[in-house]
Amino acid sequence: MFDCNLKHLTLIVFLSFTYQSLISTERYGHRAGDVILGGLFPVHEYGNSRETCGAISEFRGIQRLEAMLFAIEQINNDIHLLPGITLGALILDTCSDDNYALEQSLRFVRSRLASGTCTCVNTSTSDSFHNDNVFGVVGATLSSVSVHVANLLRLFQLPQISYASTTPKLSEASFDYFARTVPSDSNQARAIVDILRHLNFTYVNTIYSHGDYGEGGFREFKRLLKVATVNEDDNDLNVHKKKQQRICIADEQRLKRDASIQEIRTILQTMIDRVKSDVQVRVYVLFVTKEDARKLLQAVKLINVTHRPVLIASDAWGKESSVVIHGDTDEIAVGALTLELISMQPVNYDRYFNALKPDLTQISDDENEDNQKPKTVASRNPWFNEFWELRFGCSLKTSIECQNQRLNETNWDSKLQFIVDATYVFAQALHMYFNCSTSSCTNASLHGINGTKLFRLILEQPFSMPDFRQIQFNSERFVPGHYRIYNYRRSNVTSTDTNVLPYEYVSVGEWKVGRNEHGQLNLDIGAIVWPGSSVYNTSSSSTIPISRCSEPCRVGEVKQFQGDSCCWVCTACNETSIVTGTDENERCEPCQGKYWPTANRTSCYKLEETYIEILSMQALLPIGLSLAGNILTLFVVILFYQKRETPIVKASGKELCFIMLGGIHLCYTMTFPFLLKPHIITCIIQRLGIGLGFSMMYAALLTKTNRIARIFTSAKKQGRLRPQYISPNSQVAICSCLITVQLLLSLLWLAYEHSYVESITHNRLIILKCHMNKRSFLFSLTYNVLLVLICTMYAIRTRKVPENFNETKFIGFTCYTTCIIWLAFLPIYFTADETSRHQVHITTLCVTISLCATVALFCLFSPKVYIILIHPEKNMRLTNQLKAQVNSFKFTSHIPMATNFPVQEAITSDGASKSAVSNDAEDVIQPFIANKSVSFQLGQNNAKPKAKLPSVSSTHDNSNCRSNNDKQKSSFKKYAFDDEDSLNSNSNQGEDIML
């Protein structure tokens, strides 16, 4: 009941005149009832500038209209739903025109106002408008029509439920009397986004129609792409989560209202020309009406493109067969993916619809009763006869055969279920509004139904459908739904028409609303047939097309964007860096210290520490050399200690020999600090031990070679003074000073460059090693190299000394071999170090040190060991050797015995001296030359010698000397110093030799 004021009264008068003009010029469907449910359907297509309405629409018009009448008939036949109340209908044609639909909807408003009694203020006159009691409206189809109508109906609190309008705009709070049994385009746009991401289509073009459907769907699609980008950036905080490819819109175009084919062609050609040559954009996302989709296919056929476009269309295209013109654009549409709401055909609707007949007033009821054919139901809409004539191509007025035709429809509109759902929702909500029981609706006031209360019941209550489904509106006032994805392709069924290839829509997947906003996509990619390579190529393909601006970056590469967020250049990070940051701000971040990037280069993991294992193949060789060398060195040390009083050990300089053996032992032992796990202590030992071991060997060797060179240099100069510092103690002191220099240098190096354990990352491992700068290490070896070079120089200078004298040839061979080893070692060592082959580096160093020690051990000590062990008879004084030789002469008995001259020196016939050392500390060594041959006689001197050391006498003919009985005796002064470096010194006491 409404209280009318002047404003309402003026509106009623205006609507009355408008209504009178409408009913005189337009048709509408009507079914009588106690309460009336309005309906809006696009019975006719959109017209042109001269005609508002175009051709009649079979699927979206007649089938949908009859679905509402079918539902009303079922409701009226249900004795438990609205018992005692008949539900009627008032159905209007929108002609897919929002302005025309708004004019038609004024009938509902007038009926709403006229359904009650209006009491005028300050008058006693009561004027009641009696008209159809409309309490709600089912419709409309197009979103733009629903928006206009909803803005009108909300002013009069008239509830409206749409069965096809999907624009997100209708979910706004301002449309507070609007609901729908189909989901919003937000779900559809979300499904399209999931399809694009699943197929890796990251760069797409978008075309949308003028109006709320196209513009609303595109806005939601664009919003979802932006939201998805933000979510991906948030997900980047979790480095373990895989990043999804961003989707960008390369170009977007809006089709103006009533756009022609040529205008759409121009738009498509512009979009193609804007694409760069190195960018591939083949996917077009369509939010267009059915009419625009039909014209767009015709425009695609006219453009010149290298590759046929891949069309992904919304549910306005769906499974509509009228979108594709057979024989014209069906091949262009091959490969298109379309979305369609999943729905079920209402039970028994096919029997109901195929039993419909045109409304012929000239056929009497008696004739129908006598007809033995199946019972038919007369149409309740004024447009059914027009549909009939168009369907069968005949005229009901002139052809009886036309009247006798029968429908045999098998293709059904996809929105029929949602129309039935909307009608049942109104009926059940009205049942609750009247507080009806299953048998009656007592005290039901059929006039002045409160639309606010009724709509609240619609939104709050669940409803049961005839097929046992239960639906309920969500907070956005729509019923969530699922989508089926279709692929348009050639049919596998052979057509009887050889001129036209059969085509069909094949289901290839579904998208269901999940508990979260993203939903669940189930797409069979292998079942999709894609467009061919060109417009003129009728072949299809199973290869997924490419639609992207830039190739995806590989693992470990970052994007450098070039204007568009989907266009970039990939730059590789180094192998120790990971990719961090957001998708728009990626950067390379190196892993710290002992960490290494994971396989996907999104995080770092701790590397395993490694070093040379004691039992590894790289360590066994140097360890074997070291152990063998140490055993041999220890054997030599023990042997020399036991034979320390023998002539060969004394002649070798036992003090220097033990120093040299200590250096050899240290060199062999240095293998173990290198092979053990690096530690600060082992690192210090490495720094000090290498130089110290070498210096002990080469300093002793240098001291010995220097002494020999000085002795022979003095002899050659016929000097009268004995060389200084050639005694054993002096030699040890000189050697110790040379070793101390190396030790001081090593300590200075250690102080200047501190030793520590260094971690080197190589081949995804942490190699532990002692820090040792290769240049510093080379510098530390310079002193030892200098010692070796000086030794080599002395070895060359003394190479012509008598072969039995102080092993000069063996010393020379040791120096030469050591130089060769070091020349071969340095390139291998530093090359291995530079290439980070640490194990080769350590092994090479250990083997080289051991080889240097081995050369010194074998070259210098093996001859002495050989004599000591194999030929001990050679390990004696020269007098003993001469005694054995003289006793072998046959004429020795004829040589007189001389007892006053102990042996000091023997002179060969060629003038070579077999001994260059005397025992007199005052005189220097002088070689002797004999002009005649010398005979020897060895005899025992019974007298006790006056001195410990022997003396030598010689008898020979010399015309320049005075003679006594033709025999000249020459005596030689005895030398007081004891030279133990010669096998020819220290003759046995009490033995004399006569020359």
Side-chain angles (χ1 to χ4, degrees):
M1 187 73 64
F2 294 91
D3 294 329
C4 298
N5 53 24
L6 181 60
K7 182 178 179 179
H8 282 95
L9 184 60
T10 303
L11 183 59
I12 292 173
V13 173
F14 169 76
L15 293 175
S16 298
F17 284 106
T18 306
Y19 172 72
Q20 293 296 330
S21 62
L22 287 172
I23 62 176
S24 61
T25 57
E26 299 295 338
R27 294 176 291 176
Y28 62 92
H30 182 266
R31 177 186 174 113
D34 299 325
V35 288
I36 303 299
L37 183 61
L40 291 172
F41 298 95
V43 180
H44 292 84
E45 301 285 355
Y46 182 77
N48 49 44
S49 57
R50 293 174 295 179
E51 297 289 339
T52 304
C53 299
I56 197 166
S57 176
E58 174 183 353
F59 294 96
R60 295 198 301 172
I62 299 299
Q63 284 192 13
R64 293 181 180 182
L65 184 153
E66 290 295 340
M68 179 178 173
L69 295 176
F70 168 73
I72 290 176
E73 182 175 327
Q74 285 189 318
I75 291 170
N76 290 332
N77 293 335
D78 189 349
I79 60 175
H80 302 295
L81 183 59
L82 291 176
I85 299 176
T86 303
L87 184 62
L90 178 61
I91 301 175
L92 304 176
D93 184 9
T94 64
C95 294
S96 300
D97 189 324
D98 45 6
N99 294 323
Y100 181 78
L102 184 61
E103 294 176 359
Q104 291 290 312
S105 298
L106 293 176
R107 295 178 182 271
F108 302 139
V109 175
R110 183 183 183 282
S111 173
R112 177 70 169 167
L113 295 176
S115 62
T117 301
C118 180
T119 304
C120 297
V121 179
N122 297 328
T123 62
S124 58
T125 305
S126 179
D127 188 9
S128 297
F129 293 90
H130 298 285
N131 208 324
D132 292 325
N133 188 13
V134 178
F135 66 94
V137 175
V138 174
T141 296
L142 298 182
S143 295
S144 57
V145 173
S146 293
V147 168
H148 282 72
V149 173
N151 282 323
L152 172 65
L153 299 183
R154 62 182 291 271
L155 298 176
F156 301 95
Q157 302 175 358
L158 193 60
Q160 178 185 358
I161 299 179
S162 175
Y163 50 84
S165 299
T166 56
T167 177
K169 182 178 181 179
L170 289 169
S171 293
E172 296 175 1
S174 58
F175 298 94
D176 48 353
Y177 284 87
F178 180 85
R180 44 190 164 179
T181 55
V182 291
S184 168
D185 275 339
S186 59
N187 283 357
Q188 182 175 211
R190 193 173 294 115
I192 293 178
V193 170
D194 289 346
I195 292 173
L196 295 177
R197 181 172 286 113
H198 193 70
L199 296 172
N200 200 24
F201 295 150
T202 59
Y203 210 49
V204 299
N205 286 327
T206 307
I207 301 176
Y208 56 97
S209 295
H210 168 82
D212 291 299
Y213 174 76
E215 295 174 5
F218 171 72
R219 281 195 303 268
E220 184 66 15
F221 174 71
K222 197 171 183 180
R223 183 190 70 83
L224 288 173
L225 294 183
K226 184 176 181 180
V227 171
T229 300
V230 173
N231 291 338
E232 289 170 9
D233 292 341
D234 293 340
N235 291 335
D236 288 338
L237 298 177
N238 183 2
V239 297
H240 297 287
K241 183 167 183 178
K242 181 181 178 181
K243 293 182 180 179
Q244 294 178 329
Q245 289 292 333
R246 175 172 302 183
I247 300 173
C248 298
I249 298 176
D251 196 1
E252 57 187 66
Q253 292 292 332
R254 182 177 72 102
L255 303 180
K256 70 176 186 179
R257 191 185 187 95
D258 303 330
S260 64
I261 297 175
Q262 288 300 326
E263 290 173 338
I264 297 176
R265 177 185 179 277
T266 302
I267 290 174
L268 290 173
Q269 193 64 50
T270 302
M271 298 177 77
I272 294 172
D273 294 340
R274 289 177 181 175
V275 178
K276 297 180 181 179
S277 58
D278 58 339
V279 177
Q280 302 182 60
V281 184
R282 289 192 62 185
V283 175
Y284 289 75
V285 178
L286 307 179
F287 289 94
V288 295
T289 61
K290 182 182 70 173
E291 293 79 9
D292 287 341
R294 185 188 301 114
K295 289 184 286 188
L296 187 141
L297 289 177
Q298 294 175 285
V300 170
K301 189 176 181 179
L302 301 177
I303 61 176
N304 183 19
V305 291
T306 305
H307 300 285
R308 290 170 57 185
V310 178
L311 305 178
I312 300 179
S314 60
D315 61 347
W317 181 339
K319 288 181 62 179
E320 288 283 349
S321 59
S322 59
V323 171
V324 182
I325 303 175
H326 292 289
D328 186 15
T329 60
D330 42 13
E331 194 59 42
I332 299 298
V334 169
L337 296 177
T338 63
L339 272 69
E340 182 75 25
L341 273 170
I342 297 177
S343 61
M344 295 183 295
Q345 181 182 343
V347 180
N348 296 326
Y349 177 75
D350 53 345
R351 295 172 55 189
Y352 164 84
F353 186 84
N354 287 326
L356 292 175
K357 282 291 187 176
D359 186 11
L360 301 176
T361 56
Q362 55 270 55
I363 300 178
S364 63
D365 295 337
D366 295 338
E367 292 175 348
N368 289 333
E369 291 177 359
D370 296 337
N371 194 348
Q372 299 298 323
K373 295 180 181 180
K375 182 179 180 180
T376 60
V377 180
S379 171
R380 275 84 63 197
N381 72 76
W383 304 281
F384 191 81
N385 289 353
E386 181 182 355
F387 156 73
W388 188 277
E389 291 179 344
L390 180 65
R391 178 64 179 273
F392 296 107
C394 59
S395 174
L396 293 172
K397 297 180 180 180
T398 59
S399 174
I400 299 178
E401 293 182 358
C402 188
Q403 301 175 15
N404 297 329
Q405 294 289 343
R406 292 185 60 84
L407 292 171
N408 188 23
E409 187 62 61
T410 56
N411 296 324
W412 305 102
D413 185 78
S414 61
K415 300 296 191 296
L416 300 180
Q417 171 192 309
F418 306 111
I419 298 170
V420 174
D421 290 349
T423 306
Y424 265 87
V425 166
F426 269 119
Q428 293 183 24
L430 193 62
H431 185 92
M432 299 176 189
Y433 178 85
F434 290 144
N435 292 322
C436 299
S437 64
T438 57
S439 58
S440 64
C441 294
T442 58
N443 302 322
S445 178
L446 301 180
H447 297 281
I449 297 175
N450 189 332
T452 303
K453 181 180 178 181
L454 179 64
F455 193 69
R456 188 182 302 116
L457 291 171
I458 290 174
L459 297 181
E460 294 177 355
Q461 299 297 324
F463 302 96
S464 298
M465 298 297 107
D467 52 5
F468 306 104
R469 289 179 300 109
Q470 192 173 49
I471 64 173
Q472 186 173 9
F473 296 92
N474 60 12
S475 59
E476 297 183 11
R477 303 187 303 278
F478 66 80
V479 177
H482 308 316
Y483 290 92
R484 184 169 283 116
I485 304 168
Y486 290 97
N487 179 219
Y488 190 77
R489 64 170 73 170
R490 299 183 189 89
S491 176
N492 294 327
V493 180
T494 305
S495 175
T496 56
D497 189 353
T498 58
N499 297 325
V500 180
L501 292 175
Y503 297 86
E504 63 179 347
Y505 291 94
V506 177
S507 175
V508 292
E510 292 183 356
W511 187 89
K512 297 181 179 180
V513 178
R515 293 183 178 180
N516 54 16
E517 294 182 356
H518 298 287
Q520 180 181 358
L521 175 65
N522 182 18
L523 184 64
D524 186 3
I525 299 179
I528 300 176
V529 174
W530 300 103
S533 58
S534 65
V535 176
Y536 306 101
N537 186 2
T538 59
S539 63
S540 56
S541 173
S542 59
T543 304
I544 302 177
I546 297 176
S547 186
R548 59 189 175 210
C549 181
S550 300
E551 294 289 335
C553 289
R554 293 174 295 182
V555 175
E557 295 181 341
V558 295
K559 301 174 183 176
Q560 293 183 350
F561 292 95
Q562 298 180 333
D564 201 318
S565 60
C566 283
C567 301
W568 58 78
V569 175
C570 297
T571 304
C573 300
N574 60 47
E575 63 176 3
T576 61
S577 298
I578 61 174
V579 179
T580 61
T582 61
D583 195 44
E584 293 183 350
N585 189 25
E586 290 182 336
R587 62 183 181 275
C588 298
E589 183 174 336
C591 292
Q592 301 297 325
K594 301 178 181 180
Y595 289 83
W596 190 266
T598 56
N600 56 7
R601 304 294 288 276
T602 57
S603 62
C604 301
Y605 68 94
K606 190 172 183 179
L607 290 175
E608 179 184 358
E609 294 182 348
T610 183
Y611 49 90
I612 297 181
E613 298 289 341
I614 294 296
L615 299 180
S616 64
M617 293 300 297
Q618 292 85 354
L620 290 178
L621 176 61
I623 289 176
L625 289 176
S626 175
L627 292 176
N630 277 309
I631 293 173
L632 292 176
T633 303
L634 182 60
F635 172 76
V636 173
V637 169
I638 295 173
L639 183 63
F640 268 52
Y641 182 79
Q642 291 176 346
K643 305 293 182 178
R644 62 186 180 277
E645 298 299 333
T646 60
I648 195 167
V649 176
K650 288 184 177 182
S652 300
K654 59 185 177 181
E655 292 83 2
L656 294 180
C657 285
F658 285 121
I659 293 175
M660 190 178 298
L661 288 171
I664 293 173
H665 171 69
L666 183 58
C667 288
Y668 280 128
T669 308
M670 286 305 300
T671 297
F672 296 97
F674 278 102
L675 297 181
L676 292 176
K677 182 178 181 180
H679 189 270
I680 184 65
I681 296 178
T682 59
C683 293
I684 294 175
I685 293 175
Q686 291 177 23
R687 291 280 192 95
L688 300 177
I690 296 178
L692 187 61
F694 284 146
S695 64
M696 290 175 67
M697 285 195 308
Y698 302 131
L701 197 60
L702 175 60
T703 304
K704 182 178 289 191
T705 55
N706 174 263
R707 176 172 174 271
I708 296 172
R710 287 190 294 119
I711 290 175
F712 276 90
T713 301
S714 176
K716 288 179 181 180
K717 293 180 179 180
Q718 302 293 327
R720 302 293 300 174
L721 297 177
R722 173 179 176 270
Q724 297 180 346
Y725 310 118
I726 61 175
S727 65
N729 293 333
S730 300
Q731 300 295 297
V732 172
I734 295 172
C735 181
S736 299
C737 292
L738 294 175
I739 294 172
T740 304
V741 172
Q742 172 62 37
L743 185 61
L744 291 176
L745 290 175
S746 298
L747 291 174
L748 289 175
W749 177 32
L750 190 64
Y752 175 76
E753 186 178 296
H754 296 288
S755 183
Y756 60 90
V757 178
E758 183 181 12
S759 299
I760 298 177
T761 303
H762 181 66
N763 288 337
R764 299 185 181 181
L765 293 173
I766 292 293
I767 300 176
L768 297 180
K769 61 174 290 188
C770 292
H771 174 71
M772 187 182 297
N773 187 285
K774 60 182 181 181
R775 294 183 179 86
S776 301
F777 177 66
L778 180 62
F779 178 76
S780 70
L781 295 178
T782 304
Y783 179 73
N784 292 299
V785 172
L786 180 62
L787 295 179
V788 175
L789 292 177
I790 296 175
C791 286
T792 306
M793 181 188 68
Y794 279 123
I796 295 174
R797 290 181 60 183
T798 60
R799 67 186 184 276
K800 292 184 179 180
V801 300
E803 62 179 0
N804 289 338
F805 192 85
N806 289 303
E807 65 226 345
T808 53
K809 292 184 178 180
F810 298 111
I811 293 174
F813 184 76
T814 302
C815 295
Y816 307 149
T817 307
T818 302
C819 292
I820 294 173
I821 291 174
W822 280 100
L823 289 175
F825 159 73
L826 291 177
I828 298 174
Y829 177 82
F830 288 103
T831 303
D833 182 61
E834 290 176 356
T835 55
S836 298
R837 293 179 295 173
H838 179 63
Q839 295 181 347
V840 177
H841 164 255
I842 295 297
T843 304
T844 303
L845 181 59
C846 293
V847 171
T848 302
I849 295 173
S850 297
L851 286 178
C852 291
T854 303
V855 168
L857 180 64
F858 277 86
C859 292
L860 296 177
F861 293 96
S862 60
K864 301 175 180 62
V865 173
Y866 176 78
I867 292 176
I868 293 172
L869 297 179
I870 307 301
H871 295 285
E873 69 276 5
K874 295 184 179 181
N875 188 12
M876 62 180 65
R877 310 300 180 187
L878 179 60
T879 55
N880 295 336
Q881 299 179 28
L882 292 175
K883 179 179 178 181
Q885 296 176 7
V886 171
N887 289 333
S888 65
F889 295 156
K890 298 180 179 180
F891 54 86
T892 51
S893 60
H894 303 286
I895 298 176
M897 179 75 65
T899 61
N900 297 327
F901 302 98
V903 176
Q904 172 60 31
E905 184 177 14
I907 307 298
T908 61
S909 59
D910 58 357
S913 174
K914 295 299 289 184
S915 177
V917 184
S918 69
N919 292 330
D920 190 349
E922 297 178 358
D923 297 335
V924 296
I925 305 166
Q926 296 293 339
F928 293 89
I929 306 298
N931 294 329
K932 293 183 178 182
S933 61
V934 180
S935 62
F936 301 89
Q937 175 65 45
L938 183 63
Q940 297 290 337
N941 187 5
N942 298 325
K944 184 177 181 180
K946 299 180 180 180
K948 176 182 178 182
L949 298 177
S951 60
V952 179
S953 63
S954 175
T955 302
H956 59 87
D957 292 335
N958 192 329
S959 61
N960 296 326
C961 298
R962 288 179 300 178
S963 61
N964 184 12
N965 298 322
D966 296 332
K967 181 179 291 186
Q968 177 68 38
K969 293 184 179 180
S970 298
S971 62
F972 299 91
K973 295 181 180 179
K974 294 182 281 187
Y975 293 90
F977 69 91
D978 183 9
D979 184 9
E980 295 183 349
D981 281 354
S982 176
L983 290 175
N984 305 320
S985 62
N986 289 338
S987 301
N988 293 336
Q989 296 181 7
E991 294 184 3
D992 297 330
I993 294 181
M994 281 298 289
L995 287 84

